[in-house]
Amino acid sequence: MSGGEFNSWQTVQAEVLRRINAREWKPGDFIPNEAELSVEFGCARATVNRALRALADTGLLDRRRKAGTRVALNPVRKATLDIPVIRYEIEGKGQTYRHTVLSQERAVPPSGIRARMQIEPGIKLIHLVTLHLADGKPYVFGDRWINPEAVPGIESADLTVKSANEWLVANIPFEGGDFSFSAMTAGKREAEILACREGEGLFVIDRSTWNDGLVITSVRLTFAPGYQMHTKI
Amino acid sequence: MSGGEFNSWQTVQAEVLRRINAREWKPGDFIPNEAELSVEFGCARATVNRALRALADTGLLDRRRKAGTRVALNPVRKATLDIPVIRYEIEGKGQTYRHTVLSQERAVPPSGIRARMQIEPGIKLIHLVTLHLADGKPYVFGDRWINPEAVPGIESADLTVKSANEWLVANIPFEGGDFSFSAMTAGKREAEILACREGEGLFVIDRSTWNDGLVITSVRLTFAPGYQMHTKI
DNA sequence: CAGTGGTCTAGACCACAAG
DNA sequence: TTGTGGTCTAGACCACTGG
């Protein structure tokens, strides 16, 4: 019964996982507390803590002070997904990257963008449409709004050299971002830009990033047909 | 210069973040080692370690033994996204959930599925097509293949009561899964099942889960138009 | 109130990899 | 070889929250 060499947190984690998988601890069950497990496993409580905390982070355990630790009832697993810069994504596949600015202007944003970015009516933002190409073929195009108030220096940047996204991540820190993933149907504009047929299903990412309570930029990335985003648990 | 009350790892993390954002530590720069920081911040090295490790997990820092810790050069940020059970997702919005089995049979899978699931040619799997409805309207349909070798008891389960996904997560442990997100164009079949127009763009999730080196199930979820997946950094 | 997880500490040893 | 992060420990106190 008493454990053997469970002195590393990975070992403890593996054993806990084994017991969950073997249904020795079933979903909803409380498991022994950290002190008890540390005795059983012959290690420090901090080691048990690290192992259980990691499992809780993935959504497999549910931990609450005083209540204890239980095996999660509804396994809402958490996957982590990488948000790469498009250039790295393309170059990582061994393809050559190029991007072009289709248009750049100051304009009053539509209401949807205004709401997303918490902008007063009538304020003009920078509106930038860019196309990113992999091996010369359209890969994704970005329809981006930038709040110049939140981005000092953007006016003087040459965004035809470095893409807006790259310039922003290199120059403007941000606290957080919202992402949403969806699909859309290619209209005339998308079909032309991405060189695909009208009516094709396209993968879309909408992203806003903010800092100091100010929304910096909001962008819609529309990918050419065939794009896939991957992740693992 | 010497820090004030940086005795919690969150405080240390916040200060490190501030320095990165303020460009006191620029992308690519090495930052002081843990021992030095623990002296400066007046806390234990373990506290600094926890703070820096958390930042490295989000992709903001790059840490290597002997080399040291540097501010990440290419900011591949990591977002975590929840993989909920569809019923909970729908019920969480206050809508009523219902699902129906459109077909269930044993069949030899197409080669794509065979490759994904590492199945020998000619082996029959369980093929299950289900539709999930929110407030009576089509929400998503699942085209699923199940490896009966990896899922004892599936034959006797009534999957019209509990959906296959729910039955699996409740009864079959798994080590990991692959996810891919993409878009497709609604064909005749999708349009009929989801009650949408042919040619609409649809959001698609392909997921495989495995355990003990055996692929348990592979499913393609095709969502009705308008579906969005959200996450935050 | 009291039990549980959350965290900090000081010190120690180890594992890895850069030089 | 040696510096750096990675981890373990034993003990302590704290914070939250269930009863």
Side-chain angles (χ1 to χ4, degrees), chain B residues 57-71:
Chain B
D57 284 344
T58 74
L60 213 60
L61 291 180
D62 195 15
R63 321 191 76 200
R64 272 151 59 199
R65 280 162 150 128
K66 165 76 179 172
T69 299
R70 62 166 72 194
V71 181

Side-chain angles (χ1 to χ4, degrees), chain B residues 174-187:
Chain B
F174 63 96
E175 280 169 5
D178 278 326
F179 295 79
S180 90
F181 308 92
S182 58
M184 72 170 293
T185 308

Side-chain angles (χ1 to χ4, degrees), chain B residues 109-116:
Chain B
S111 60
I113 296 292
R114 248 199 10 243
R116 256 178 113 84

Side-chain angles (χ1 to χ4, degrees), chain A residues 30-31 62-70:
Chain A
F30 281 97
I31 76 176
D62 195 14
R63 321 191 75 201
R64 271 149 57 197
R65 281 161 151 124
K66 164 75 179 175
T69 300
R70 61 166 73 195

Side-chain angles (χ1 to χ4, degrees), chain B residues 109 112-119 125-128 142-147 151 168 178 205-210 215-221:
Chain B
I113 296 292
R114 248 199 10 243
R116 256 178 113 84
M117 298 182 67
Q118 301 160 29
I119 298 292
L125 303 181
I126 299 172
H127 184 208
L128 193 64
D143 190 312
R144 179 186 294 274
W145 294 84
I146 302 172
N147 182 356
V151 187
L168 287 167
D178 278 326
I205 301 181
D206 288 291
R207 163 171 49 179
S208 299
T209 56
W210 71 78
V215 178
I216 297 168
T217 183
S218 181
V219 62
R220 161 167 287 214
L221 300 169

Side-chain angles (χ1 to χ4, degrees), chain A:
Chain A
M1 281 310 146
S2 83
E5 289 297 310
F6 294 106
N7 31 13
S8 88
W9 71 267
Q10 287 100 333
T11 321
V12 172
Q13 192 188 46
E15 171 63 11
V16 171
L17 261 178
R18 190 195 63 73
R19 295 189 186 182
I20 293 174
N21 286 348
R23 292 291 188 270
E24 293 174 24
W25 293 336
K26 303 188 189 64
D29 284 0
F30 281 97
I31 76 176
N33 67 33
E34 295 187 349
E36 291 166 350
L37 287 177
S38 69
V39 170
E40 190 199 341
F41 292 152
C43 65
R45 183 166 80 91
T47 306
V48 174
N49 180 283
R50 170 108 192 240
L52 298 187
R53 193 155 38 77
L55 289 174
D57 284 343
T58 74
L60 213 60
L61 291 179
D62 195 14
R63 321 191 75 201
R64 271 149 57 197
R65 281 161 151 124
K66 164 75 179 175
T69 300
R70 61 166 73 195
V71 181
L73 208 44
N74 72 328
V76 177
R77 298 294 290 268
K78 288 166 166 55
T80 73
L81 82 91
D82 293 354
I83 313 287
V85 172
I86 289 168
R87 180 160 69 84
Y88 298 140
E89 182 172 318
I90 290 174
E91 290 176 346
K93 298 188 209 174
Q95 302 181 298
T96 67
Y97 170 79
R98 191 162 63 82
H99 82 106
T100 62
V101 174
L102 302 183
S103 78
Q104 178 171 3
E105 53 170 1
R106 297 196 70 136
V108 174
S111 60
I113 297 290
R114 254 206 356 252
R116 258 178 113 83
M117 299 183 66
Q118 302 160 29
I119 299 292
E120 300 297 316
I123 302 288
K124 287 194 174 183
L125 304 180
I126 298 172
H127 184 208
L128 191 66
V129 181
T130 55
L131 177 63
H132 304 257
L133 304 104
D135 279 347
K137 289 189 304 185
Y139 186 82
V140 60
F141 86 93
D143 191 311
R144 178 186 295 273
W145 295 84
I146 301 172
N147 182 356
E149 299 256 334
V151 187
I154 183 78
E155 306 282 14
S156 54
D158 182 357
L159 298 178
T160 60
V161 180
K162 210 171 204 180
S163 80
N165 184 42
E166 278 191 75
W167 189 90
L168 287 167
V169 298
N171 293 282
I172 307 296
F174 64 95
E175 281 169 4
D178 278 326
F179 295 78
S180 90
F181 309 92
S182 59
M184 73 170 292
T185 308
K188 194 168 180 180
R189 179 183 181 227
E190 290 81 16
E192 269 174 22
I193 296 178
L194 292 176
C196 68
R197 292 192 310 279
E198 236 180 288
E200 272 201 274
L202 304 177
F203 189 76
V204 172
I205 301 181
D206 287 292
R207 163 171 51 181
S208 298
T209 55
W210 70 80
N211 199 45
D212 272 339
L214 223 53
V215 179
I216 298 167
T217 182
S218 181
V219 62
R220 161 167 287 213
L221 299 169
T222 307
F223 289 83
Y227 181 80
Q228 287 194 328
M229 202 172 66
H230 289 281
T231 189
K232 281 192 255 201
I233 279 190

